[in-house]
């Protein structure tokens, strides 16, 4: 572990202003304006093909914008000669030379960015790869490569960190470790921007969300605000008299739909009122439970019109 002291002269904010990227007639990112600030884990969500990876690559100067700007602490990343000391990133854990050892890989990055060699051992210890440091990367599992990619991102002790799908290939212990690591890094005053398609993990990791679809901004708000805005609270009901209860609740203005487990999903009436109506008409209830809005449901509802490749219905 090492001590991180934020540079008082550094404002590790990521500023995207009208950022646009076109490939011929296809627009991958469309006038995206977002500010990602320090001190919190910001999740970056969107359906496949929404432009998340292209956006991250433009932040790092790997893709040039068609128009608009993107800066970190007021400067383009490409204008920083020792980039890893300002921004650490993991975009593709598989994009790495398999013939090198983990130590050799990190040492080459350290030398090119004027980072003290001692940092190699420190970050390998931090990500749990100290004993595998001399082994060839080609023999690493995907989970080990993810850990190595995180080690490379942390090598320069940077104030800004970007991760694209960092949980792929990790076992449950690794997922928990990544979650806790990202939250700790944010608490230290860093900017942590994490792209993922795993709604459940964003629910457990991020405090703020940036959601895009077809390259356009859909939401930029706290996780709680996003879940609350995008989905209604429903009530799950189990009863041996489902047909009778459905008719009764519909007459009260509720929306009643079959639940996947044989129950009823009711919107428009609170659980207490449903219980009162069932008791009045002598309808027995086996279960009555309020289901709060979930991040996944909110995401599916708000991005429904932005899915580029939707699966057909099962027949």
């Amino acid at each position: 572990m090492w001590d991180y002291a934020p540079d008082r002269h550094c404002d590790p904010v990521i500023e995207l202003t009208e950022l646009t990227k076109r490939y011929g007639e296809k627009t991958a990112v469309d006038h995206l304006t977002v500010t990602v600030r320090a001190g919190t884990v910001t999740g970056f969500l969107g359906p496949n093909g929404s432009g998340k990876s292209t956006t991250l690559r433009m932040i790092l100067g790997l893709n040039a914008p068609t128009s608009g700007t993107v800066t970190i602490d007021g400067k383009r990343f490409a204008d920083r000669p020792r980039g890893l000391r300002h921004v650490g990133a993991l975009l593709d854990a598989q994009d790495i030379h398999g013939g090198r050892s983990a130590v050799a890989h990190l040492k080459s990055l350290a030398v090119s960015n004027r980072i003290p060699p001692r940092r190699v051992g420190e970050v390998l210890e931090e990500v749990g790869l100290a004993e595998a440091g001399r082994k060839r990367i080609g023999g690493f599992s995907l989970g080990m490569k993810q850990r190595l990619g995180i080690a490379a991102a942390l090598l320069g002790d940077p104030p800004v960190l970007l991760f694209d799908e960092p949980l792929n290939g990790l076992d449950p212990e690794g997922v928990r470790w990544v979650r806790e690591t990202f939250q700790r890094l944010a608490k230290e005053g860093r900017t942590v921007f994490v792209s993922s398609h795993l709604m459940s993990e964003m629910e457990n990791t991020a405090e703020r969300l940036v959601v895009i679809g077809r390259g356009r901004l859909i939401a930029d708000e706290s996780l709680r605000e996003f879940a609350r805005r995008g989905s209604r609270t429903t009530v799950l009901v189990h009863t041996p008299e489902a047909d009778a209860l459905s008719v009764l609740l519909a007459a009260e203005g509720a929306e009643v739909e079959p639940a996947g487990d044989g129950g009823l999903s009711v919107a428009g009436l609170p659980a207490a009122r449903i219980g009162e109506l069932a008791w009045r008409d002598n309808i027995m209830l086996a279960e009555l439970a309020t289901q709060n809005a979930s991040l996944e449901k909110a995401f599916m509802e708000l991005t429904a019109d932005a899915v580029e490749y939707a699966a057909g219905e099962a027949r």
Side-chain angles (χ1 to χ4, degrees):
M1 184 68 64
W2 62 93
D3 294 325
Y4 171 74
D7 185 347
R8 293 183 179 180
H9 301 290
C10 174
D11 181 17
V13 62
I14 304 172
E15 288 275 8
L16 283 61
T17 305
E18 294 292 312
L19 191 64
T20 301
K21 180 64 177 179
R22 297 188 182 92
Y23 296 97
E25 296 182 355
K26 179 177 176 58
T27 300
V29 179
D30 192 358
H31 295 87
L32 188 60
T33 297
V34 171
T35 299
V36 185
R37 300 191 179 278
T40 185
V41 178
T42 300
F44 190 28
L45 302 179
N48 289 338
S50 62
K52 300 190 303 297
S53 294
T54 300
T55 299
L56 293 179
R57 291 180 63 83
M58 285 193 287
I59 292 174
L60 295 170
L62 299 174
N63 286 359
T66 302
S67 62
T69 62
V70 53
T71 62
I72 301 172
D73 187 22
K75 296 182 180 179
R76 297 188 311 151
F77 180 74
D79 294 335
R80 299 183 182 278
R82 309 299 174 196
L84 287 184
R85 298 168 69 172
H86 300 279
V87 182
L90 168 59
L91 298 188
D92 184 353
Q94 301 276 35
D95 187 16
I96 192 170
H97 195 304
R100 288 180 175 178
S101 69
V103 168
H105 171 65
L106 293 177
K107 279 187 175 180
S108 67
L109 294 175
V111 169
S112 62
N113 285 268
R114 293 186 180 177
I115 296 169
R118 63 175 175 79
R119 292 287 297 138
V120 172
E122 290 175 351
V123 295
L124 285 174
E125 182 72 30
E126 170 69 7
V127 303
L129 291 178
E131 295 184 2
R134 300 293 176 181
K135 296 181 179 179
R136 292 185 183 274
I137 298 169
F140 281 14
S141 66
L142 176 56
M144 293 174 70
K145 289 179 180 178
Q146 291 283 22
R147 288 176 180 264
L148 180 59
I150 293 173
L154 297 177
L155 189 64
D157 207 9
V160 178
L161 292 152
L162 307 177
F163 300 98
D164 193 3
E165 302 289 357
L167 302 176
N168 286 347
L170 292 176
D171 58 18
E173 188 280 329
V175 170
R176 179 191 59 80
W177 169 77
V178 168
R179 180 192 308 152
E180 294 176 352
T181 297
F182 288 175
Q183 291 171 343
R184 172 180 59 79
L185 292 168
K187 289 179 180 178
E188 291 173 353
R190 307 178 202 249
T191 298
V192 183
F193 197 33
V194 184
S195 170
S196 178
H197 68 282
L198 298 175
M199 303 302 110
S200 59
E201 277 314 310
M202 286 299 96
E203 201 162 12
N204 291 320
T205 305
E207 297 175 53
R208 191 167 187 85
L209 298 178
V210 172
V211 184
I212 64 173
R214 296 187 185 274
R216 297 180 179 179
L217 183 66
I218 293 176
D220 178 9
E221 57 199 7
S222 72
L223 183 145
R224 182 175 298 179
E225 289 171 334
F226 178 76
R228 185 170 58 241
R229 178 168 70 90
S231 185
R232 295 177 299 174
T233 298
T234 59
V235 179
L236 177 64
V237 184
H238 279 92
T239 173
E241 302 173 74
D243 290 342
L245 183 62
S246 296
V247 172
L248 176 63
L249 298 180
E252 289 286 318
E255 296 180 21
V256 184
E257 297 179 354
D261 55 359
L264 300 174
S265 177
V266 183
L269 285 179
R273 180 56 178 163
I274 295 171
E276 290 174 0
L277 293 170
W279 178 82
R280 187 194 70 188
D281 283 32
N282 295 314
I283 296 176
M284 185 180 74
L285 299 182
E287 181 181 8
L288 186 64
T290 299
Q291 297 180 305
N292 292 321
S294 69
L295 176 62
E296 184 169 8
K297 189 173 181 181
F299 176 80
M300 295 299 291
E301 291 177 358
L302 291 177
T303 62
D305 295 332
V307 176
E308 186 168 6
Y309 303 106
E313 294 183 0
R315 296 181 183 274

